[in-house]
C-alpha cells in the first residue's frame, strides 16, 4: 500500500472538509477527485467512505501527536512545555481545527449509529493513550521541578491540564483568534496555581 497515495486520499478529504462539504453527504467520487485519483484507486485501499474517513481521522491524529511529541521533547522545563502545549492547541485550532471537527463529527454518526465503527474504535483508543502519556510527561516534568505538588494525584493533574487547554477552545469560540492570543499567560498561570 503506497503511503503517498494514502496521503493524497487523506488530503482530498481535508480539502473537501475545508471547503465546507458535509462529510456525511460526501461521495467517494468527490474524495477521489479532490485527491486527484480515480475512484477505483480509493477502493484498492479502503472498502467504504466510512473507512476512508476513519483512516483520515487517525492519520490526522498521528500527525498531530507526532508534532506535539517533537515539540515537547525540545522543551527544557515545565513552563516551556505548558507554553508549547498551549501554542500547539492554538495553531491546531486556527490552521486545522475546523476540518478535523467536521471529519470527527461525521465519524460519530455513521448512518444510525451513535459511536465510531469497530475498525476505528481500538486505534482511536491507542491515540488517546498516547496523548495521555504526553500529558503525563508534562506532569512528571512539573513534579521534578517542584512545580506540581506531589500530593496531587495524576488523575487530578490530567483534569487540570486538559480543562485548561480546553479553555483555549472556549476562548476561540467566544472571542475568536484575539481571545486565543490573549489567553496564553492566563491559562498557564491557572495551571501552575491549580497544580502547586
Amino acid at each position: 500500500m503506497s503511503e503517498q497515495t494514502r496521503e493524497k486520499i487523506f488530503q482530498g478529504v481535508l480539502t473537501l472538509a475545508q471547503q465546507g462539504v458535509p462529510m456525511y453527504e460526501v461521495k467517494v467520487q468527490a474524495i477521489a477527485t479532490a485527491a486527484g485519483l480515480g475512484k477505483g484507486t480509493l477502493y484498492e485501499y479502503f472498502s467504504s467512505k466510512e473507512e476512508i474517513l476513519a483512516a483520515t481521522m487517525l492519520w490526522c491524529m498521528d500527525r498531530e501527536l507526532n508534532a506535539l511529541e517533537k515539540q515537547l521533547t525540545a522543551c527544557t522545563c515545565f513552563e516551556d512545555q505548558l507554553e508549547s502545549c498551549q501554542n500547539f492547541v492554538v495553531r491546531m485550532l486556527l490552521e486545522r481545527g475546523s476540518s478535523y471537527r467536521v471529519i470527527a463529527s461525521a465519524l460519530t454518526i455513521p448512518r444510525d449509529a451513535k459511536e465510531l465503527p469497530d475498525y476505528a474504535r481500538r486505534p482511536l483508543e491507542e491515540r488517546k493513550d498516547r496523548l495521555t502519556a504526553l500529558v503525563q510527561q508534562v506532569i512528571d516534568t512539573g513534579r521534578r521541578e517542584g512545580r506540581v505538588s506531589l500530593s496531587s494525584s495524576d488523575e487530578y493533574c490530567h483534569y487540570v491540564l486538559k480543562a485548561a487547554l480546553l479553555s483555549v477552545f472556549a476562548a476561540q469560540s467566544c472571542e475568536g483568534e484575539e481571545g486565543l492570543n490573549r489567553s496564553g499567560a492566563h491559562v498557564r498561570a491557572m495551571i501552575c496555581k491549580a497544580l502547586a
Side-chain angles (χ1 to χ4, degrees), residues 95-191:
E95 297 169 8
R96 303 171 301 278
S98 62
S99 299
Y100 289 176
R101 282 192 297 273
V102 169
I103 294 164
S105 69
L107 286 170
T108 58
I109 340 172
R111 306 236 159 82
D112 295 328
K114 296 283 185 204
E115 55 189 39
L116 285 172
D118 289 337
Y119 53 79
R121 192 174 300 120
R122 183 165 182 190
L124 179 60
E125 288 302 317
E126 291 168 359
R127 272 70 173 188
K128 286 180 183 178
D129 291 345
R130 189 169 165 209
L131 178 60
T132 298
L134 290 173
V135 171
Q136 187 64 48
Q137 177 183 327
V138 174
I139 293 166
D140 292 345
T141 300
R143 284 198 171 118
R144 279 192 303 277
E145 294 177 9
R147 303 289 304 273
V148 174
S149 172
L150 296 175
S151 64
S152 296
S153 70
D154 283 348
E155 182 180 26
Y156 170 77
C157 294
H158 278 265
Y159 279 115
V160 167
L161 282 170
K162 290 174 185 175
L165 292 174
L166 286 174
S167 72
V168 173
F169 284 100
Q172 192 262 347
S173 297
C174 296
E175 303 173 39
E177 187 173 346
E178 194 175 301
L180 285 173
N181 294 331
R182 202 173 40 244
S183 66
H186 297 301
V187 170
R188 289 190 303 280
M190 181 173 67
I191 292 170

Side-chain angles (χ1 to χ4, degrees), residues 21-22 37 40 49 58-59 61 67-68 75 86 88-89 102-103 115 139 146 161-164 168-169 179 181:
V21 175
L37 300 167
K49 174 185 82 170
L58 295 172
W59 178 75
M61 290 178 75
L68 179 58
C75 294
Q86 184 177 8
F88 183 84
V89 169
V102 169
I103 294 164
E115 55 189 39
I139 293 166
L161 282 170
K162 290 174 185 175
V168 173
F169 284 100
N181 294 331

Side-chain angles (χ1 to χ4, degrees), residues 35-68:
L37 300 167
K39 182 177 175 180
T41 302
L42 273 66
Y43 283 114
E44 290 175 21
Y45 290 82
F46 302 100
S47 62
S48 67
K49 174 185 82 170
E50 290 76 19
E51 193 175 325
I52 294 169
L53 295 177
T56 302
M57 179 188 70
L58 295 172
W59 178 75
C60 290
M61 290 178 75
D62 283 339
R63 216 170 49 161
E64 298 301 333
L65 288 169
N66 290 341
L68 179 58

